[in-house]
Amino acid sequence: MGPKYIGKDGNYSANISLKVAWGSDLLLTLIKQCLPNKLAKQAWRLFDNPNSLLGRLLKHRYYPRNSFLEAHKGHSPSLTWQGIHWGRKLLLKGLRYKIGNGFHVISGLDPWIPGHDEFKPICYTRDPSTPVSTYILDTMEWNLPQLHQDFAQIDIDRILTIPLSFYQSTDRLIWHHNTNGFYSVKSSFHLATSISEKDQESSSDDYKTWWKFFWKLQLPPKVKIFAWKVIQNALPVATALHKRKVIDSTLCTRCKSAWESIGHALFSCKFAKSVWKNTKFQIDTHHAMENHNYQTRLSAHQHQQTDLNMRHQSTISTANDNILFQQTRDDIVWKPPPMNLLKMNVDAATNSKTLTLGIGAVVRNYKGEIMAALSKKVQGCFQSDEMEAKTLFHILNWASQNQMSITMVETDALRVSSALNSNHNDLSCFNDLITDARCLLSSFPRVTVTHARRQANQAAHGLAKYALELDEDVS
């Protein structure tokens, strides 16, 4: 039957060979992409748990006098060691130091500055072997005059995003590309993919030509920035905000019938489609949102059309944002504590230009009377959750020094309140700041920390914003 069929269709066997060859190439590609991530995971396990049985065996054989990260492949290595050594290359690209006291991190040589590909300073004028502790004050804040003397401004801006903990003084290497500091195959895969894409982009003349054309478009700066965020998949749509635990739902704020991704908000939502219908563009709304392929779609238009296209997308996004903020519930109000108890509300605000953090707190009794309040400006421009945790630490320290009998603490940072009410621990800076807050909370017997919606935390929020305008603390 087989030969008879092949006789009828002479291309059958050739097609089978092509499919097998194509499948083999795909399999090899997948292996090349996935294998380093799996091997890097084994390398992380050896690094994180050097006293394991495998770790002790490999150390005795391949690196008896140095650490795993410094070990060489050696002569006649086993296949196991060759694979782990290969995976270690990818692991090293994602490791950076989390700063504790800074004594064990070398400023000019070690990877410790987030935001740079190699986590090292771009410009450093001092002896490279200077420890990072040189730039940390006794108050666990960065020494700004010393930083300005030795680092470039681009490095200083990144350094000020590193929060310093009072009680966690150990410097240690963490996996930068996961929020908890632990290695994961998923984050490693994304890192390897981004490295590969950067290599391709750097050698792609078309890519450079497109961006050169894009930045020369006669558009307002805010429209250009918006379009750049679209291409970089960085718009604050509902799916992104939900992933960061800012909002509770991923539903589209307009149509309420699908997840609000960037593609949905700009192209496939029925409200977005109605906008596109009133323009002269012929947009394939299905393919426009597929695989985030926005740059390819935009490149298909002429220069003048691209100008208008960007403007329409920006208009749609602005309309969606207005709808989202108009849905604020007016019935959410601050609730007083039980009789004879005190409730403290805390909040934070930041100024990204001056790299400062404003903290605000208000203490009220069961009648709603204000018993104490604080506005204070401190150094730093951290991630939102780190900012809120750092704020809580400063406010608890203030309350403790003033011997306040606080029994209830409210914050509008859900992740902070959840972390304080759980026993979870990880390697992140956020976890260290939570540990700081826990240490201070232990001096307040029977205190509880709960989450409050932003509308019920307006007093503390106003004090935090006011703090950014101050030159000294107000309480």
Side-chain angles (χ1 to χ4, degrees):
M1 181 176 177
K4 185 177 181 181
Y5 181 82
I6 292 174
K8 289 184 178 179
D9 187 357
N11 293 326
Y12 177 76
S13 58
N15 291 337
I16 290 294
S17 300
L18 286 173
K19 289 180 180 179
V20 171
W22 180 86
S24 301
D25 291 341
L26 178 61
L27 181 60
L28 287 173
T29 301
L30 290 174
I31 290 174
K32 288 179 180 179
Q33 289 178 342
C34 297
L35 189 57
N37 306 301
K38 293 291 187 180
L39 292 173
K41 183 176 183 178
Q42 299 305 318
W44 167 265
R45 287 175 174 173
L46 286 177
F47 162 73
D48 194 46
N49 187 14
N51 294 321
S52 64
L53 177 59
L54 179 60
R56 285 180 288 166
L57 287 172
L58 292 175
K59 181 173 178 61
H60 178 75
R61 172 68 175 83
Y62 297 105
Y63 49 100
R65 294 180 180 84
N66 53 16
S67 68
F68 167 69
L69 296 180
E70 299 168 335
H72 299 287
K73 188 183 292 186
H75 300 289
S76 303
S78 66
L79 292 176
T80 298
W81 177 242
Q82 289 184 57
I84 293 175
H85 192 272
W86 182 37
R88 192 189 65 178
K89 295 179 181 179
L90 178 60
L91 179 67
L92 287 171
K93 293 182 183 296
L95 288 180
R96 70 166 175 88
Y97 275 99
K98 179 183 68 173
I99 302 300
N101 53 29
F103 284 109
H104 300 94
V105 182
I106 300 175
S107 300
L109 302 176
D110 286 335
W112 65 282
I113 302 179
H116 302 331
D117 289 342
E118 296 182 353
F119 310 115
K120 296 179 182 179
I122 292 176
C123 180
Y124 186 63
T125 59
R126 198 166 176 171
D127 180 5
S129 61
T130 304
V132 173
S133 58
T134 307
Y135 305 99
I136 299 177
L137 301 172
D138 293 337
T139 56
M140 296 309 293
E141 290 184 316
W142 292 105
N143 188 335
L144 278 176
Q146 195 67 53
L147 288 176
H148 282 290
Q149 184 175 339
D150 298 338
F151 290 89
Q153 186 61 46
I154 188 172
D155 292 324
I156 296 172
D157 292 345
R158 293 295 185 179
I159 291 170
L160 292 180
T161 66
I162 304 174
L164 298 173
S165 167
F166 271 77
Y167 298 108
Q168 298 296 318
S169 60
T170 304
D171 302 317
R172 69 151 293 162
L173 284 167
I174 62 172
W175 180 251
H176 172 77
H177 301 282
N178 202 0
T179 55
N180 60 18
F182 291 107
Y183 176 89
S184 71
V185 173
K186 180 179 179 180
S187 61
S188 174
F189 180 82
H190 288 312
L191 172 62
T193 302
S194 66
I195 292 173
S196 176
E197 288 176 350
K198 286 180 181 178
D199 292 340
Q200 293 176 3
E201 289 170 2
S202 62
S203 60
S204 172
D205 293 335
D206 291 341
Y207 184 86
K208 294 179 180 178
T209 301
W210 193 92
W211 278 110
K212 186 180 292 186
F213 148 72
F214 170 75
W215 292 115
K216 288 182 179 179
L217 290 175
Q218 298 301 313
L219 290 170
K222 66 177 182 179
V223 177
K224 287 185 180 180
I225 293 172
F226 167 79
W228 179 86
K229 288 183 177 181
V230 171
I231 295 171
Q232 298 297 327
N233 198 28
L235 284 183
V237 291
T239 50
L241 294 175
H242 181 265
K243 185 177 180 180
R244 298 178 183 178
K245 297 180 171 47
V246 177
I247 60 176
D248 299 328
S249 174
T250 61
L251 281 180
C252 175
T253 52
R254 282 277 193 170
C255 65
K256 304 290 185 182
S257 61
W259 287 2
E260 189 187 68
S261 62
I262 293 179
H264 174 83
L266 298 182
F267 298 106
S268 65
C269 177
K270 62 181 181 180
F271 292 95
K273 288 180 180 179
S274 65
V275 174
W276 288 115
K277 285 181 180 178
N278 293 325
T279 69
K280 61 181 179 180
F281 297 108
Q282 298 297 321
I283 298 291
D284 185 342
T285 57
H286 174 71
H287 291 95
M289 62 177 289
E290 194 174 65
N291 299 324
H292 309 297
N293 198 14
Y294 311 120
Q295 181 178 334
T296 302
R297 295 293 162 185
L298 293 173
S299 301
H301 297 284
Q302 298 298 325
H303 291 202
Q304 184 178 4
Q305 289 180 317
T306 305
D307 289 357
L308 294 172
N309 194 314
M310 298 294 189
R311 293 176 189 269
H312 285 304
Q313 291 188 37
S314 180
T315 302
I316 293 171
S317 178
T318 302
N320 285 339
D321 289 344
N322 290 338
I323 290 294
L324 178 62
F325 289 112
Q326 286 171 3
Q327 292 177 342
T328 301
R329 292 176 56 186
D330 297 329
D331 58 340
I332 300 175
V333 295
W334 178 82
K335 296 180 180 179
M339 185 177 294
N340 298 325
L341 298 182
L342 295 178
K343 176 188 282 189
M344 180 168 68
N345 286 76
V346 302
D347 203 4
T350 185
N351 187 329
S352 58
K353 293 182 179 179
T354 60
L355 301 177
T356 52
L357 174 66
I359 65 177
V362 56
V363 181
R364 288 172 284 194
N365 62 14
Y366 70 98
K367 295 180 180 179
E369 298 171 339
I370 297 177
M371 310 302 294
L374 173 68
S375 285
K376 180 177 181 178
K377 182 166 66 174
V378 296
Q379 177 196 99
C381 186
F382 317 126
Q383 296 182 15
S384 59
D385 292 332
E386 295 171 346
M387 179 175 66
E388 296 283 357
K390 191 74 171 178
T391 295
L392 182 58
F393 171 81
H394 281 288
I395 291 173
L396 289 172
N397 187 44
W398 165 73
S400 177
Q401 290 176 354
N402 288 277
Q403 299 181 348
M404 297 181 188
S405 300
I406 304 297
T407 54
M408 300 177 69
V409 177
E410 279 189 346
T411 172
D412 56 20
L414 178 60
R415 190 182 175 203
V416 172
S417 61
S418 299
L420 287 169
N421 289 298
S422 72
N423 296 320
H424 175 75
N425 287 297
D426 55 43
L427 302 178
S428 65
C429 292
F430 173 74
N431 186 78
D432 293 346
L433 298 176
I434 290 297
T435 301
D436 289 351
R438 282 199 185 107
C439 292
L440 290 182
L441 282 170
S442 62
S443 62
F444 296 91
R446 301 186 305 277
V447 67
T448 60
V449 180
T450 56
H451 173 252
R453 299 295 292 270
R454 171 60 63 86
Q455 293 76 23
N457 206 40
Q458 288 297 325
H461 182 66
L463 290 171
K465 292 182 67 176
Y466 174 63
L468 294 173
E469 304 172 4
L470 299 176
D471 294 326
E472 57 183 23
D473 302 350
V474 175
S475 61

